[in-house]
Amino acid sequence: MGVPARGALAAIVAISAFAVYLNSLNCGFVFDDISAIKDNRDLRPHTPLKNVFYNDFWGTPMHKEQSHKSYRPLCVLTFRWNYLIHQLDPMGYHLLNVILHVGVCLLYFRTCLMFLSDSATFVSSLLFAVHPIHTEAVTGVVGRAETLSSLFYLAALIMYTKCCRSRRSTGWKSLILSMSFVFTAMLCKEQGITATAVCVFYEIFVVQKVRAMDIFLTLKAAFGGKKISLAWSSEGTKRLTVLTLVTFSLLILRLHVMGSKLPVFTRFDNPASVAPTPIRQLTYNYLAAVNLRLLFLPSDLCCDWTMGTIPLIENFTDPRNLATIATHTTILGLLVTAILTPNRQTSIILIMSLAMMILPFLPASNLFFPVGFVIAERVLYAPSMGFCMLIGYGWSILSDKKFKKVTLFLLITLLAAHTTKTFIRNYDWLDEYSIFMSGLKVNVRNAKLFNNVGHALESQGRFKEALNFFNMAVQVQGDDIGAHINVGRTYNHLKMFKEAEDAYLKAKSLLPKPKPGESYQARIAPNHLNVFVNLANLIAKNATRLEEADLLYRQAISMRADYTQAYINRGDILIKLNRTKEAQEVYERALFYDSNNPDIYYNLGVVFLEQGKASQALAYLDKALEFDPEHEQALLNSAILLQELGRAELRKVARERLLKLLRKDSNNERVHFNLGMLAMDDHDSASAERWFRNAVALKEDFRSALFNLALLLADEQRPLEAAPFLNQLVRFHPDHVKGLILLGDIYINNIKDLDAAENCYRRILQLDPTNIQGLHNLCVVMVERGKLGLAAQCLERAAALAPHQDYVHRHLAIVKARISRLPPEQRDTEVFDDSFWQTGPMERNFNMGDISSSSSVGSTSGANGLGNMENSGSQFLGKTDSVFSNHHNHISHKKSSTDSMNNHIVHLKSSSKPARVPLNEVKQEVKDTHINHDRSLKTSASSNEQQEFSPGKVFGKSVSSDATELTIDRERTTKMSNSEKFDSATPAFSTGEKHAGTTRQKDTALS
């Protein structure tokens, strides 16, 4: 067949390969994609490029025990390029995967032409293009390691064939290029190194034309003392020498990168790896049969074959051993045929096909070293090349005989069935719920699948349904620590705290017991230690059990000194215990083990904020942004700190950071609020009003935004517009003293509703009987009502509470002077009712933490900065002299010609408006209040414990929704802690139990 015809056949193969995976472009990130892409910091442009070459496929430093030792930097680079172009849009990642698969199919077509006829090549290539076993490698984004490695694997083989064309020339240029392709293939995935072994077979049996029988006879003669020399060229010897040197050099390099340590896997990842002899050997050999069966009959595909999917073969009488015997018999039969057949071409095809099928499979076969899975369909991508060559060659033999029509019909049926299966299988990878549910349809013995379906439901907020799947996981495998952790976390979401604690304690009881002389660290999976984090996070909700939670964190740290999640969450507890210096030491210790963790720097920034050291806090927040420019909490709180510095150029940086957050999440009310504060600093009232209104629209009970918006409107002489927002504020926050004062002022001055104003002031005094502003303004109401006697008694009480407030004494003198000029019969004889002061603190239904004293009235917070946040409430409103002066025209029903009240009050008057602190003071208090909310410490929790806490997202992801309370932000922390989410990922940190953080299990994700 000519070149044009071959080109047409290759085009058909390429089109088929692209078309069958076209629907995969709509799939999202699922399973291991979360860890390798969404949670992998090495993909982010701000991460130094060199990190890609020091970390494993999942972003974990290769020297760490937690690393899976999967060194694939070139594959990670392609993910990084994807991220650079379109961030986390899955379509781009899937599109490149499909393109790589098409490229592999074309190179495979070219490779088959070296051994097969055109028709057999076309059949083999078309079968390879549409085989359903490839869906995990092509549709799963992390499968790119397979396709990319296979691309260079085939390129290396093709280039090697070029250097062998002349028996008189070594072909150094092509040989060097071939070896560079081998090196590149190995940097995409470890199995790429097997290309050199395939090249050795090609050199011996194709180039040197050595027959398999010749090798057999040579060995037989050597053992018999005879000497037989094979025809061999010196150029071939040189090439084989290069192949040998390159292979050993790459192996040594790989071992050096790996640190000469094999990855640590648990019995849940690969049960046979910890089984005794002969169970381990019987099971491993049976797994080879299962893999071959998947190539022949890919009907029951599953994304996860770990745990109890394939029960161990415990004795020789197990009927599954027959499948092992049949597999080895088939392979041996093909080898014998290759040796004995007189047809040299048949011998070459069989040998090369078996080499391409068996050699790439050996690294994942468990025969030389244990791997972190039982079966992984994606690792069959390269071995299927040899399998498809055998099928194509067998078809060509049958079609050349009497069965041409039958074989053609069978071929069409096979290709149609495979194409349909592949196309439908792609839809299983649409999202995490669909892929794990599809696994349960064919595999109900794998607890991890039940766990991951539960995680998918949990991420959708369907906690009761998730709990059912987690409980089923426990039933399937009762000793699965991760399943018990998941049950506990879900109970926590459902507010069933007693049940959650019981589940965590059960998981804790399943941890391996220490053994004398044996390192405990080597015997426990890092993810299983999350039981301590999640249990501690749970009991820490009870303020009386903080010390108990601290003990659990210390216990986890004692088991693994590098367990950074425990350090992070312990720091949170120490902050709550007011032991900030210890918290600082804990975070600094965590940095010793993970110096690139932005969450730790963020939490150190929070610690320094707690200590009143704003400059150090800002430095650590900036450091967090250096490692993660997208760190939301660091962006927000550093912007607030920059704003506090009061310099125009720093406000510009603050605005840029806030706008960056807004682009990430336009529904974040805190960002809108702080942009409003920045606008106030720039004297842009219109913009400030717009930002405040946006914040209130997003969160109707946003305390700080409601008050500042109302204050802004009141200052702009729009009190009637301010009143609804103040009413909304006190409806959600009836203990907001400043809002009540301002609302009462508007009721008196603008709405003329003295009853409503009096209710405001009496409410203030119920909240804080010593509040001079509220008491003084209540006295004003009495003056407005003409009840001078009551007003005098009220002012006397105010003067007694605040003897140093001159304006109170002056106003008292004015009222007494008026009373003295009234006839005795007109004087008010009522007694001031202060019964509302008698209510005990325990009976009041309000939060005393929000009540501020007016002892520092009129002072500003600028001098003290963020370190004095707790006292900022007293700076919210200034003296209310002007409130009194505003009403001087209404104090009496008739003017006195001798001692006009106006004459006295006019000296007290500072403005025609009710006195309020300057907006910069108001903003300071609100900002302080808000930063207390936002600078919550990130703690780590089960990722999901991690996410659990937060309405937003940070360490695991939890942030307090009450902007007026100082809370420890667990939002990012959760992500780490949520490693418990084991393999379900989500992405995140938190002190809660969410996923998030969910540190995902790599190739063998935990349940």
Side-chain angles (χ1 to χ4, degrees):
M1 190 177 290
V3 174
R6 289 178 175 175
L9 294 178
I12 293 174
V13 171
I15 292 172
S16 300
F18 187 85
V20 77
Y21 286 103
L22 188 61
N23 60 331
S24 70
L25 302 183
N26 297 321
C27 296
F29 294 123
V30 300
F31 204 21
D32 289 333
D33 298 345
I34 307 298
S35 297
I37 297 168
K38 295 186 73 173
D39 296 341
N40 191 346
R41 290 202 297 264
D42 288 347
L43 271 62
R44 308 310 188 252
H46 62 268
T47 302
L49 190 62
K50 65 178 182 180
N51 284 19
V52 173
F53 296 93
Y54 286 101
N55 298 340
D56 67 13
F57 190 52
W58 318 95
T60 304
M62 288 291 292
H63 67 271
K64 287 195 172 184
E65 183 188 352
Q66 298 95 314
S67 172
H68 283 235
K69 312 300 182 184
S70 46
Y71 188 67
R72 305 162 191 173
L74 295 189
C75 185
V76 177
L77 276 179
T78 65
F79 292 149
R80 186 170 173 130
W81 292 332
N82 272 121
Y83 187 91
L84 188 65
I85 297 171
H86 47 75
Q87 284 73 52
L88 291 176
D89 181 3
M91 179 176 287
Y93 295 83
H94 288 292
L95 178 61
L96 183 53
N97 271 25
V98 175
I99 291 173
L100 287 172
H101 177 60
V102 172
V104 172
C105 290
L106 291 175
L107 288 184
Y108 180 64
F109 182 87
R110 169 70 178 78
T111 302
C112 289
L113 284 174
M114 296 187 297
F115 309 106
L116 303 176
S117 65
D118 290 351
S119 59
T121 294
F122 178 66
V123 170
S124 298
S125 301
L126 200 56
L127 179 61
F128 178 82
V130 301
H131 202 295
I133 201 67
H134 299 157
T135 52
E136 183 173 346
V138 181
T139 308
V141 178
V142 295
R144 182 179 302 177
E146 313 292 336
T147 55
L148 199 60
S149 177
S150 297
L151 191 73
F152 291 105
Y153 167 92
L154 291 174
L157 179 58
I158 291 172
M159 291 307 301
Y160 189 83
T161 62
K162 288 186 177 181
C163 74
C164 299
R165 288 177 179 174
S166 173
R167 294 179 62 89
R168 298 181 180 180
S169 171
T170 306
W172 288 109
K173 183 177 180 180
S174 297
L175 181 60
I176 293 173
L177 190 57
S178 174
M179 295 303 97
S180 66
F181 282 142
V182 172
F183 180 58
T184 304
M186 193 184 76
L187 292 180
C188 296
K189 191 171 183 182
E190 298 77 4
Q191 68 184 27
I193 195 174
T194 60
T196 58
V198 177
C199 290
V200 168
F201 277 83
Y202 182 83
E203 177 72 43
I204 295 174
F205 296 104
V206 180
V207 180
Q208 302 301 327
K209 298 182 179 178
V210 175
R211 296 174 60 88
M213 179 58 73
D214 295 338
I215 295 178
F216 177 76
L217 293 176
T218 301
L219 292 174
K220 181 179 179 181
F223 283 112
K226 299 180 181 179
K227 196 171 185 181
I228 299 178
S229 60
L230 298 173
W232 194 276
S233 70
S234 60
E235 304 304 327
T237 302
K238 294 177 183 178
R239 287 191 292 266
L240 286 180
T241 302
V242 170
L243 286 171
T244 303
L245 291 174
V246 168
T247 301
F248 280 100
S249 298
L250 291 180
L251 284 174
I252 293 171
L253 176 63
R254 184 66 179 82
L255 290 173
H256 175 73
V257 170
M258 195 167 60
S260 300
K261 292 182 181 179
L262 290 174
V264 178
F265 300 112
T266 69
R267 62 188 177 85
F268 298 107
D269 300 318
N270 188 348
S273 64
V274 296
T277 301
I279 297 175
R280 181 170 63 255
Q281 289 75 17
L282 290 174
T283 303
Y284 280 161
N285 280 276
Y286 174 68
L287 293 181
V290 175
N291 280 281
L292 185 60
R293 196 269 298 166
L294 286 173
L295 289 174
F296 270 111
L297 187 63
S299 57
D300 51 350
L301 300 180
C302 181
C303 64
D304 193 315
W305 293 79
T306 56
M307 301 188 86
T309 301
I310 298 179
L312 299 177
I313 296 180
E314 300 183 354
N315 52 64
F316 291 97
T317 60
D318 192 311
R320 289 176 294 171
N321 289 320
L322 296 176
T324 303
I325 295 172
T327 298
H328 291 310
T329 300
T330 301
I331 300 299
L332 288 174
L334 291 172
L335 284 175
V336 170
T337 301
I339 293 172
L340 299 179
T341 181
N343 187 325
R344 182 173 174 275
Q345 184 63 22
T346 297
S347 178
I348 290 175
I349 292 173
L350 291 177
I351 290 174
M352 293 305 299
S353 296
L354 289 173
M356 294 181 69
M357 182 174 72
I358 296 173
L359 293 175
F361 178 72
L362 289 178
S365 65
N366 284 289
L367 297 178
F368 299 105
F369 48 82
V371 294
F373 52 82
V374 177
I375 288 176
E377 293 165 10
R378 60 183 174 276
V379 304
L380 293 176
Y381 187 82
S384 67
M385 296 178 187
F387 173 80
C388 291
M389 281 182 64
L390 287 173
I391 298 299
Y393 181 61
W395 174 84
S396 66
I397 293 175
L398 292 176
S399 63
D400 288 340
K401 298 183 177 180
K402 305 176 182 179
F403 313 106
K404 188 169 186 178
K405 291 183 179 181
V406 175
T407 54
L408 181 61
F409 172 77
L410 292 176
L411 174 64
I412 294 174
T413 302
L414 177 65
L415 292 174
H418 277 16
T419 300
T420 302
K421 174 66 176 179
T422 299
F423 194 81
I424 293 175
R425 175 65 174 162
N426 290 335
Y427 287 113
D428 290 339
W429 291 84
L430 191 62
D431 55 40
E432 294 217 307
Y433 179 78
S434 61
I435 187 60
F436 295 129
M437 282 301 295
S438 70
L440 284 178
K441 292 176 182 177
V442 299
N443 181 3
V444 294
R445 291 189 296 268
N446 187 342
K448 189 186 296 186
L449 289 173
F450 287 100
N451 279 319
N452 283 339
V453 172
H455 288 315
L457 292 169
E458 185 182 21
S459 66
Q460 300 171 15
R462 297 158 64 182
F463 299 121
K464 291 185 178 179
E465 295 174 67
L467 182 60
N468 291 334
F469 279 94
F470 291 142
N471 281 324
M472 283 189 277
V474 171
Q475 293 174 11
V476 170
Q477 185 141 359
D479 60 350
D480 181 8
I481 298 172
H484 289 284
I485 293 176
N486 292 334
V487 170
R489 188 183 63 254
T490 310
Y491 275 131
N492 195 3
H493 285 308
L494 295 171
K495 311 301 182 187
M496 301 170 67
F497 302 123
K498 178 62 171 64
E499 292 81 356
E501 184 170 352
D502 291 341
Y504 288 142
L505 291 173
K506 176 63 177 177
K508 186 169 176 284
S509 70
L510 293 172
L511 293 173
K513 304 299 184 290
K515 292 182 179 180
E518 188 173 337
S519 169
Y520 190 79
Q521 177 167 322
R523 299 176 54 247
I524 185 170
N527 282 331
H528 290 168
L529 281 177
N530 285 321
V531 65
F532 291 98
V533 170
N534 289 359
L535 179 57
N537 290 338
L538 175 65
I539 65 177
K541 293 179 179 181
N542 184 341
T544 65
R545 302 180 70 184
L546 294 180
E547 293 288 355
E548 187 180 345
D550 184 44
L551 179 62
L552 285 167
Y553 291 132
R554 286 188 281 122
Q555 187 176 355
I557 291 170
S558 69
M559 293 179 177
R560 291 188 66 92
D562 60 347
Y563 187 38
T564 54
Q565 290 101 315
Y567 287 103
I568 292 172
N569 283 16
R570 186 178 179 226
D572 175 18
I573 294 296
L574 292 172
I575 289 287
K576 291 180 179 178
L577 292 170
N578 294 320
R579 291 153 60 181
T580 57
K581 186 61 178 174
E582 288 183 65
Q584 178 183 339
E585 294 171 356
V586 166
Y587 290 133
E588 288 171 348
R589 184 64 178 170
L591 283 178
F592 176 79
Y593 295 106
D594 191 358
S595 59
N596 297 328
N597 191 325
D599 296 325
I600 301 176
Y601 289 105
Y602 172 81
N603 283 3
L604 273 169
V606 173
V607 169
F608 282 112
L609 275 177
E610 290 298 317
Q611 297 174 355
K613 301 174 182 178
S615 58
Q616 292 97 317
L618 182 59
Y620 276 102
L621 293 178
D622 285 341
K623 188 69 174 178
L625 292 173
E626 179 182 326
F627 286 102
D628 183 4
E630 306 297 320
H631 197 295
E632 296 182 13
Q633 299 301 81
L635 282 170
L636 180 58
N637 289 330
S638 63
I640 295 171
L641 282 172
L642 289 169
Q643 180 186 3
E644 287 304 315
L645 295 176
R647 290 157 51 187
E649 66 274 16
L650 295 182
R651 287 201 300 272
K652 181 180 179 181
V653 177
R655 182 176 293 101
E656 290 173 353
R657 292 183 180 183
L658 290 172
L659 290 174
K660 184 176 184 178
L661 280 172
L662 197 65
R663 288 191 293 271
K664 290 168 64 70
D665 181 8
S666 60
N667 294 323
N668 189 330
E669 71 281 353
R670 294 172 296 163
V671 176
H672 289 275
F673 170 77
N674 284 291
L675 283 168
M677 304 308 269
L678 277 173
M680 293 302 297
D681 281 343
D682 293 335
H683 308 290
D684 185 354
S685 298
S687 295
E689 180 182 348
R690 184 179 74 254
W691 291 120
F692 288 150
R693 285 182 180 273
N694 289 345
V696 171
L698 291 169
K699 191 172 189 292
E700 62 176 351
D701 62 342
F702 195 160
R703 179 183 183 112
S704 303
L706 285 166
F707 181 77
N708 279 278
L709 176 57
L711 189 59
L712 172 65
L713 294 171
D715 278 342
E716 291 194 335
Q717 305 298 320
R718 297 156 63 188
L720 296 183
E721 294 182 54
F725 293 107
L726 288 170
N727 276 306
Q728 185 174 341
L729 172 65
V730 299
R731 184 173 77 252
F732 288 109
H733 306 283
D735 56 349
H736 198 292
V737 174
K738 311 305 177 184
L740 288 166
I741 289 177
L742 182 56
L743 182 59
D745 179 39
I746 292 175
Y747 276 132
I748 293 177
N749 278 338
N750 306 100
I751 302 179
K752 312 300 182 184
D753 187 342
L754 297 181
D755 290 337
E758 182 175 349
N759 287 336
C760 289
Y761 300 135
R762 287 185 177 273
R763 174 60 179 161
I764 291 169
L765 294 174
Q766 287 178 338
L767 294 167
D768 181 8
T770 64
N771 190 289
I772 300 303
Q773 298 169 0
L775 181 57
H776 174 270
N777 287 3
L778 179 61
C779 302
V780 172
V781 172
M782 295 174 182
V783 173
E784 288 289 321
R785 295 184 185 281
K787 297 181 180 181
L788 298 182
L790 284 176
Q793 296 175 56
C794 179
L795 288 168
E796 286 173 350
R797 173 62 67 91
L801 290 174
H804 303 296
Q805 295 291 347
D806 292 338
Y807 73 94
V808 175
H809 293 282
R810 290 197 301 271
H811 291 178
L812 176 59
I814 293 172
V815 171
K816 286 184 175 181
R818 287 297 309 271
I819 293 174
S820 67
R821 286 165 175 71
L822 291 175
E825 64 275 9
Q826 294 184 13
R827 295 179 184 179
D828 187 8
T829 60
E830 290 185 60
V831 178
F832 181 59
D833 178 17
D834 60 356
S835 60
F836 51 84
W837 272 320
Q838 307 308 315
T839 305
M842 297 301 293
E843 300 176 43
R844 300 189 195 116
N845 184 22
F846 51 81
N847 179 6
M848 295 296 293
D850 276 344
I851 300 175
S852 62
S853 114
S854 59
S855 59
S856 53
V857 180
S859 65
T860 64
S861 59
N864 296 327
L866 291 176
N868 193 29
M869 283 192 259
E870 292 300 321
N871 297 324
S872 62
S874 63
Q875 303 159 359
F876 221 41
L877 288 178
K879 291 191 284 190
T880 53
D881 295 23
S882 60
V883 173
F884 198 99
S885 66
N886 284 344
H887 309 301
H888 67 275
N889 290 328
H890 309 285
I891 288 184
S892 66
H893 297 290
K894 54 182 180 180
K895 295 183 181 180
S896 167
S897 59
T898 56
D899 188 4
S900 170
M901 174 74 78
N902 294 343
N903 292 335
H904 290 277
I905 304 236
V906 70
H907 302 293
L908 302 175
K909 183 176 180 179
S910 59
S911 76
S912 60
K913 297 186 294 182
R916 306 175 186 87
V917 272
L919 282 175
N920 64 324
E921 295 181 9
V922 174
K923 289 189 294 177
Q924 176 67 48
E925 185 218 358
V926 174
K927 230 173 332 183
D928 287 352
T929 298
H930 188 65
I931 199 171
N932 279 346
H933 160 68
D934 286 289
R935 62 180 178 152
S936 300
L937 280 185
K938 291 183 159 198
T939 31
S940 138
S942 287
S943 137
N944 306 255
E945 270 209 47
Q946 293 170 4
Q947 279 231 262
E948 64 174 332
F949 293 161
S950 120
K953 160 202 172 188
V954 161
F955 257 98
K957 293 166 177 176
S958 62
V959 177
S960 165
S961 58
D962 183 355
T964 67
E965 290 184 13
L966 173 60
T967 52
I968 297 301
D969 184 359
R970 287 144 186 133
E971 217 174 339
R972 253 275 177 185
T973 294
T974 289
K975 185 175 192 179
M976 299 192 60
S977 184
N978 226 26
S979 38
E980 71 172 320
K981 243 199 146 166
F982 291 100
D983 184 21
S984 77
T986 86
F989 293 94
S990 135
T991 87
E993 313 177 31
K994 233 200 129 130
H995 337 113
T998 264
T999 58
R1000 225 174 231 283
Q1001 192 66 11
K1002 312 321 183 187
D1003 258 5
T1004 61
L1006 290 181
S1007 59

